[in-house]
Amino acid sequence: MPDATGKQWYLIQCKPRQDMRALEHLERQGYQCLLPTHEVERLQKGKLQQLTEPLFPGYLFIHLDRVDDNWMPIRSTRGVNQIVSFGGRPTSVPEAIVSKLQSTNTSVAPALIAGDRVALNDPSLQQLEAIFLEKNGEERVLLLLTLLQREVVVSVPLVQVQKIES
């Protein structure tokens, strides 16, 4: 349902990994845009890093009026691929969804969760698999290893741990 100005939210597909570029260039042209993001924790180069990533990678929302706004420059904007359409017509996103996205608090998703399978990258341990239990300070983690048919809890440096994607 359009707001009082007749504007509605539409979805824009961005070029790969150019969400921020598209947002910057559209806002520079005076368009109202929304790029929902969330905080995530990633294991990169042996360190846990907090990153801000788009909630919907490759997409952003734009607030437009079908009659009053100029839609022509949007497709040629840097980082923009196309306006998401069905049957050749741009399809609006319900206002309730966008309102919910604007009001939602984003929390940090941890890189490692208790129970995750990990591999040890220590040459002497030859890629042993273990179960992540918890962090043990800033640069160490506790792992559950099965050695000689016994389960042992060990503390190892975070740089030696690599998550096994399932």
Side-chain angles (χ1 to χ4, degrees):
M1 181 121 172
D3 64 13
T5 64
K7 290 190 171 197
Q8 292 181 291
W9 288 97
Y10 295 90
L11 195 59
I12 291 199
Q13 182 183 29
C14 303
K15 292 180 180 172
R17 290 175 294 288
Q18 293 191 25
D19 312 26
M20 294 304 289
R21 172 184 262 182
L23 177 69
E24 177 187 343
H25 287 277
L26 287 167
E27 286 180 338
R28 225 184 255 168
Q29 295 174 56
Y31 294 105
Q32 181 185 357
C33 299
L34 173 66
L35 179 62
T37 58
H38 65 243
E39 300 289 321
V40 294
E41 188 176 68
R42 295 264 186 249
L43 186 58
Q44 292 182 335
K45 299 179 184 173
K47 294 201 182 254
L48 289 173
Q49 297 183 350
Q50 299 234 346
L51 305 170
T52 301
E53 293 183 349
L55 192 56
F56 307 107
Y59 295 92
L60 61 85
F61 298 89
I62 188 166
H63 205 213
L64 296 168
D65 186 294
R66 288 187 81 89
V67 178
D68 293 337
D69 287 326
N70 184 3
W71 292 50
M72 295 306 289
I74 295 172
R75 282 194 51 215
S76 60
T77 299
R78 288 177 153 229
V80 171
N81 192 15
Q82 66 182 352
I83 298 173
V84 175
S85 303
F86 293 98
R89 297 186 54 134
T91 306
S92 63
V93 176
E95 184 74 33
I97 292 174
V98 176
S99 296
K100 181 77 172 162
L101 288 170
Q102 288 173 322
S103 66
T104 302
N105 262 345
T106 60
S107 58
V108 177
L112 293 170
I113 301 170
D116 281 348
R117 290 178 44 230
V118 296
L120 290 171
N121 291 331
D122 186 326
S124 63
L125 298 176
Q126 298 176 352
Q127 289 287 339
L128 272 179
E129 283 191 22
I131 305 293
F132 173 77
L133 295 176
E134 64 184 26
K135 287 191 212 177
N136 187 14
E138 285 296 310
E139 298 187 12
R140 295 188 73 80
V141 292
L142 291 178
L143 303 177
L144 181 64
L145 274 174
T146 303
L147 294 172
L148 303 173
Q149 299 175 347
R150 291 184 54 187
E151 292 182 341
V152 181
V153 175
V154 294
S155 176
V156 297
L158 186 57
V159 294
Q160 292 181 353
V161 175
Q162 179 179 358
K163 184 175 180 179
I164 299 172
E165 300 297 329
S166 11

